[in-house]
Amino acid sequence: QSLTCEPNELDDNEVISVALPRNLLKGFCKIQPLIDLNKELEEKKNALPNEDDYIKAVDIIVRFCCKDRWSTICSKLSFEDLDLNGDGVLCSNEIREAIEKILGKEDATAELVTSMIEAIDTNADGQIDEQEWNQILSRMRK
């Protein structure tokens, strides 16, 4: 599918970022302009992201879905409501209980709980603290 717009709709000062799968740049589907772009970027030192900097599309989709579920939970419960033991962090059990309460028991799989934690756990400690909670709230308000 292609996107077209009238020239007067474009803002010369606006930066538009486009994500391209590596396989398209490497020649999958034989799209010559993308193959040429890849060659050009490879010739420039450090123009292409490092292999470790790529994010799998499925991971992006999972993160989006988890943040959407967080949005639903945040609209109905406060951090204090979720922090059942009052220790200042939300552990996997507390998050599972919130999912069950808001979304239903069948949705509260271990994989979902883990993915939801990973989606907003910026310090990677396996729990959600109040700062991480507030970050998701502020993003939802934008």
mmCIF file with all atom_site columns, all heavy atoms in Angstrom, residues 10-23:
data_model
loop_
_atom_site.group_PDB
_atom_site.id
_atom_site.type_symbol
_atom_site.label_atom_id
_atom_site.label_alt_id
_atom_site.label_comp_id
_atom_site.label_asym_id
_atom_site.label_entity_id
_atom_site.label_seq_id
_atom_site.pdbx_PDB_ins_code
_atom_site.Cartn_x
_atom_site.Cartn_y
_atom_site.Cartn_z
_atom_site.occupancy
_atom_site.B_iso_or_equiv
_atom_site.pdbx_formal_charge
_atom_site.auth_seq_id
_atom_site.auth_comp_id
_atom_site.auth_asym_id
_atom_site.auth_atom_id
_atom_site.pdbx_PDB_model_num
ATOM 1   N N   . LEU A 1 10 ? 3.205  18.951  2.816  1.00 0.00 ? 10 LEU A N   1
ATOM 2   C CA  . LEU A 1 10 ? 4.473  18.597  3.437  1.00 0.00 ? 10 LEU A CA  1
ATOM 3   C C   . LEU A 1 10 ? 5.113  19.807  4.102  1.00 0.00 ? 10 LEU A C   1
ATOM 4   O O   . LEU A 1 10 ? 5.083  20.910  3.566  1.00 0.00 ? 10 LEU A O   1
ATOM 5   C CB  . LEU A 1 10 ? 5.437  18.016  2.401  1.00 0.00 ? 10 LEU A CB  1
ATOM 6   C CG  . LEU A 1 10 ? 4.984  16.732  1.708  1.00 0.00 ? 10 LEU A CG  1
ATOM 7   C CD1 . LEU A 1 10 ? 5.982  16.339  0.630  1.00 0.00 ? 10 LEU A CD1 1
ATOM 8   C CD2 . LEU A 1 10 ? 4.834  15.611  2.726  1.00 0.00 ? 10 LEU A CD2 1
ATOM 9   N N   . ASP A 1 11 ? 5.715  19.586  5.237  1.00 0.00 ? 11 ASP A N   1
ATOM 10  C CA  . ASP A 1 11 ? 6.441  20.621  5.964  1.00 0.00 ? 11 ASP A CA  1
ATOM 11  C C   . ASP A 1 11 ? 7.923  20.297  5.844  1.00 0.00 ? 11 ASP A C   1
ATOM 12  O O   . ASP A 1 11 ? 8.370  19.250  6.301  1.00 0.00 ? 11 ASP A O   1
ATOM 13  C CB  . ASP A 1 11 ? 6.002  20.632  7.431  1.00 0.00 ? 11 ASP A CB  1
ATOM 14  C CG  . ASP A 1 11 ? 6.723  21.666  8.262  1.00 0.00 ? 11 ASP A CG  1
ATOM 15  O OD1 . ASP A 1 11 ? 7.633  22.349  7.742  1.00 0.00 ? 11 ASP A OD1 1
ATOM 16  O OD2 . ASP A 1 11 ? 6.376  21.788  9.447  1.00 0.00 ? 11 ASP A OD2 1
ATOM 17  N N   . ASP A 1 12 ? 8.685  21.185  5.212  1.00 0.00 ? 12 ASP A N   1
ATOM 18  C CA  . ASP A 1 12 ? 10.111 20.928  5.007  1.00 0.00 ? 12 ASP A CA  1
ATOM 19  C C   . ASP A 1 12 ? 10.879 20.762  6.309  1.00 0.00 ? 12 ASP A C   1
ATOM 20  O O   . ASP A 1 12 ? 11.948 20.160  6.332  1.00 0.00 ? 12 ASP A O   1
ATOM 21  C CB  . ASP A 1 12 ? 10.738 22.071  4.196  1.00 0.00 ? 12 ASP A CB  1
ATOM 22  C CG  . ASP A 1 12 ? 10.274 22.074  2.747  1.00 0.00 ? 12 ASP A CG  1
ATOM 23  O OD1 . ASP A 1 12 ? 9.810  21.016  2.268  1.00 0.00 ? 12 ASP A OD1 1
ATOM 24  O OD2 . ASP A 1 12 ? 10.387 23.132  2.097  1.00 0.00 ? 12 ASP A OD2 1
ATOM 25  N N   . ASN A 1 13 ? 10.361 21.282  7.412  1.00 0.00 ? 13 ASN A N   1
ATOM 26  C CA  . ASN A 1 13 ? 11.047 21.184  8.697  1.00 0.00 ? 13 ASN A CA  1
ATOM 27  C C   . ASN A 1 13 ? 10.677 19.925  9.478  1.00 0.00 ? 13 ASN A C   1
ATOM 28  O O   . ASN A 1 13 ? 11.265 19.643  10.508 1.00 0.00 ? 13 ASN A O   1
ATOM 29  C CB  . ASN A 1 13 ? 10.739 22.415  9.551  1.00 0.00 ? 13 ASN A CB  1
ATOM 30  C CG  . ASN A 1 13 ? 11.279 23.668  8.909  1.00 0.00 ? 13 ASN A CG  1
ATOM 31  O OD1 . ASN A 1 13 ? 12.387 23.676  8.386  1.00 0.00 ? 13 ASN A OD1 1
ATOM 32  N ND2 . ASN A 1 13 ? 10.488 24.723  8.921  1.00 0.00 ? 13 ASN A ND2 1
ATOM 33  N N   . GLU A 1 14 ? 9.692  19.186  9.000  1.00 0.00 ? 14 GLU A N   1
ATOM 34  C CA  . GLU A 1 14 ? 9.238  17.998  9.711  1.00 0.00 ? 14 GLU A CA  1
ATOM 35  C C   . GLU A 1 14 ? 10.120 16.800  9.349  1.00 0.00 ? 14 GLU A C   1
ATOM 36  O O   . GLU A 1 14 ? 10.466 16.583  8.190  1.00 0.00 ? 14 GLU A O   1
ATOM 37  C CB  . GLU A 1 14 ? 7.789  17.687  9.353  1.00 0.00 ? 14 GLU A CB  1
ATOM 38  C CG  . GLU A 1 14 ? 7.207  16.548  10.147 1.00 0.00 ? 14 GLU A CG  1
ATOM 39  C CD  . GLU A 1 14 ? 5.726  16.328  9.835  1.00 0.00 ? 14 GLU A CD  1
ATOM 40  O OE1 . GLU A 1 14 ? 5.188  16.988  8.923  1.00 0.00 ? 14 GLU A OE1 1
ATOM 41  O OE2 . GLU A 1 14 ? 5.131  15.495  10.504 1.00 0.00 ? 14 GLU A OE2 1
ATOM 42  N N   . VAL A 1 15 ? 10.510 16.056  10.382 1.00 0.00 ? 15 VAL A N   1
ATOM 43  C CA  . VAL A 1 15 ? 11.299 14.848  10.182 1.00 0.00 ? 15 VAL A CA  1
ATOM 44  C C   . VAL A 1 15 ? 10.358 13.657  10.261 1.00 0.00 ? 15 VAL A C   1
ATOM 45  O O   . VAL A 1 15 ? 9.597  13.511  11.208 1.00 0.00 ? 15 VAL A O   1
ATOM 46  C CB  . VAL A 1 15 ? 12.403 14.712  11.256 1.00 0.00 ? 15 VAL A CB  1
ATOM 47  C CG1 . VAL A 1 15 ? 13.133 13.404  11.115 1.00 0.00 ? 15 VAL A CG1 1
ATOM 48  C CG2 . VAL A 1 15 ? 13.359 15.884  11.168 1.00 0.00 ? 15 VAL A CG2 1
ATOM 49  N N   . ILE A 1 16 ? 10.410 12.823  9.236  1.00 0.00 ? 16 ILE A N   1
ATOM 50  C CA  . ILE A 1 16 ? 9.568  11.627  9.206  1.00 0.00 ? 16 ILE A CA  1
ATOM 51  C C   . ILE A 1 16 ? 10.493 10.415  9.306  1.00 0.00 ? 16 ILE A C   1
ATOM 52  O O   . ILE A 1 16 ? 11.411 10.256  8.501  1.00 0.00 ? 16 ILE A O   1
ATOM 53  C CB  . ILE A 1 16 ? 8.739  11.568  7.908  1.00 0.00 ? 16 ILE A CB  1
ATOM 54  C CG1 . ILE A 1 16 ? 7.830  12.796  7.825  1.00 0.00 ? 16 ILE A CG1 1
ATOM 55  C CG2 . ILE A 1 16 ? 7.934  10.277  7.842  1.00 0.00 ? 16 ILE A CG2 1
ATOM 56  C CD1 . ILE A 1 16 ? 7.097  12.936  6.517  1.00 0.00 ? 16 ILE A CD1 1
ATOM 57  N N   . SER A 1 17 ? 10.252 9.586   10.307 1.00 0.00 ? 17 SER A N   1
ATOM 58  C CA  . SER A 1 17 ? 11.053 8.379   10.484 1.00 0.00 ? 17 SER A CA  1
ATOM 59  C C   . SER A 1 17 ? 10.301 7.201   9.887  1.00 0.00 ? 17 SER A C   1
ATOM 60  O O   . SER A 1 17 ? 9.090  7.076   10.047 1.00 0.00 ? 17 SER A O   1
ATOM 61  C CB  . SER A 1 17 ? 11.295 8.108   11.968 1.00 0.00 ? 17 SER A CB  1
ATOM 62  O OG  . SER A 1 17 ? 12.032 9.153   12.530 1.00 0.00 ? 17 SER A OG  1
ATOM 63  N N   . VAL A 1 18 ? 11.033 6.352   9.199  1.00 0.00 ? 18 VAL A N   1
ATOM 64  C CA  . VAL A 1 18 ? 10.443 5.171   8.585  1.00 0.00 ? 18 VAL A CA  1
ATOM 65  C C   . VAL A 1 18 ? 11.256 3.963   9.017  1.00 0.00 ? 18 VAL A C   1
ATOM 66  O O   . VAL A 1 18 ? 12.484 3.974   8.938  1.00 0.00 ? 18 VAL A O   1
ATOM 67  C CB  . VAL A 1 18 ? 10.461 5.288   7.043  1.00 0.00 ? 18 VAL A CB  1
ATOM 68  C CG1 . VAL A 1 18 ? 9.896  4.039   6.408  1.00 0.00 ? 18 VAL A CG1 1
ATOM 69  C CG2 . VAL A 1 18 ? 9.709  6.523   6.587  1.00 0.00 ? 18 VAL A CG2 1
ATOM 70  N N   . ALA A 1 19 ? 10.569 2.941   9.476  1.00 0.00 ? 19 ALA A N   1
ATOM 71  C CA  . ALA A 1 19 ? 11.243 1.705   9.865  1.00 0.00 ? 19 ALA A CA  1
ATOM 72  C C   . ALA A 1 19 ? 11.181 0.731   8.697  1.00 0.00 ? 19 ALA A C   1
ATOM 73  O O   . ALA A 1 19 ? 10.122 0.519   8.118  1.00 0.00 ? 19 ALA A O   1
ATOM 74  C CB  . ALA A 1 19 ? 10.578 1.104   11.099 1.00 0.00 ? 19 ALA A CB  1
ATOM 75  N N   . LEU A 1 20 ? 12.310 0.187   8.352  1.00 0.00 ? 20 LEU A N   1
ATOM 76  C CA  . LEU A 1 20 ? 12.368 -0.802  7.274  1.00 0.00 ? 20 LEU A CA  1
ATOM 77  C C   . LEU A 1 20 ? 12.929 -2.109  7.807  1.00 0.00 ? 20 LEU A C   1
ATOM 78  O O   . LEU A 1 20 ? 13.943 -2.114  8.497  1.00 0.00 ? 20 LEU A O   1
ATOM 79  C CB  . LEU A 1 20 ? 13.298 -0.318  6.150  1.00 0.00 ? 20 LEU A CB  1
ATOM 80  C CG  . LEU A 1 20 ? 12.820 0.876   5.354  1.00 0.00 ? 20 LEU A CG  1
ATOM 81  C CD1 . LEU A 1 20 ? 13.939 1.354   4.434  1.00 0.00 ? 20 LEU A CD1 1
ATOM 82  C CD2 . LEU A 1 20 ? 11.604 0.507   4.542  1.00 0.00 ? 20 LEU A CD2 1
ATOM 83  N N   . PRO A 1 21 ? 12.276 -3.207  7.480  1.00 0.00 ? 21 PRO A N   1
ATOM 84  C CA  . PRO A 1 21 ? 12.860 -4.495  7.877  1.00 0.00 ? 21 PRO A CA  1
ATOM 85  C C   . PRO A 1 21 ? 14.209 -4.686  7.198  1.00 0.00 ? 21 PRO A C   1
ATOM 86  O O   . PRO A 1 21 ? 14.387 -4.328  6.031  1.00 0.00 ? 21 PRO A O   1
ATOM 87  C CB  . PRO A 1 21 ? 11.839 -5.518  7.379  1.00 0.00 ? 21 PRO A CB  1
ATOM 88  C CG  . PRO A 1 21 ? 10.565 -4.753  7.219  1.00 0.00 ? 21 PRO A CG  1
ATOM 89  C CD  . PRO A 1 21 ? 10.978 -3.352  6.853  1.00 0.00 ? 21 PRO A CD  1
ATOM 90  N N   . ARG A 1 22 ? 15.149 -5.238  7.953  1.00 0.00 ? 22 ARG A N   1
ATOM 91  C CA  . ARG A 1 22 ? 16.495 -5.496  7.412  1.00 0.00 ? 22 ARG A CA  1
ATOM 92  C C   . ARG A 1 22 ? 16.440 -6.336  6.153  1.00 0.00 ? 22 ARG A C   1
ATOM 93  O O   . ARG A 1 22 ? 17.209 -6.110  5.225  1.00 0.00 ? 22 ARG A O   1
ATOM 94  C CB  . ARG A 1 22 ? 17.336 -6.244  8.446  1.00 0.00 ? 22 ARG A CB  1
ATOM 95  C CG  . ARG A 1 22 ? 18.210 -5.423  9.275  1.00 0.00 ? 22 ARG A CG  1
ATOM 96  C CD  . ARG A 1 22 ? 19.153 -6.292  10.083 1.00 0.00 ? 22 ARG A CD  1
ATOM 97  N NE  . ARG A 1 22 ? 18.525 -7.518  10.530 1.00 0.00 ? 22 ARG A NE  1
ATOM 98  C CZ  . ARG A 1 22 ? 18.538 -7.978  11.758 1.00 0.00 ? 22 ARG A CZ  1
ATOM 99  N NH1 . ARG A 1 22 ? 19.188 -7.342  12.669 1.00 0.00 ? 22 ARG A NH1 1
ATOM 100 N NH2 . ARG A 1 22 ? 17.938 -9.089  12.078 1.00 0.00 ? 22 ARG A NH2 1
ATOM 101 N N   . ASN A 1 23 ? 15.516 -7.317  6.121  1.00 0.00 ? 23 ASN A N   1
ATOM 102 C CA  . ASN A 1 23 ? 15.501 -8.208  4.965  1.00 0.00 ? 23 ASN A CA  1
ATOM 103 C C   . ASN A 1 23 ? 15.156 -7.460  3.672  1.00 0.00 ? 23 ASN A C   1
ATOM 104 O O   . ASN A 1 23 ? 15.630 -7.819  2.603  1.00 0.00 ? 23 ASN A O   1
ATOM 105 C CB  . ASN A 1 23 ? 14.565 -9.397  5.185  1.00 0.00 ? 23 ASN A CB  1
ATOM 106 C CG  . ASN A 1 23 ? 13.142 -9.017  5.472  1.00 0.00 ? 23 ASN A CG  1
ATOM 107 O OD1 . ASN A 1 23 ? 12.820 -7.849  5.661  1.00 0.00 ? 23 ASN A OD1 1
ATOM 108 N ND2 . ASN A 1 23 ? 12.266 -10.010 5.533  1.00 0.00 ? 23 ASN A ND2 1
#
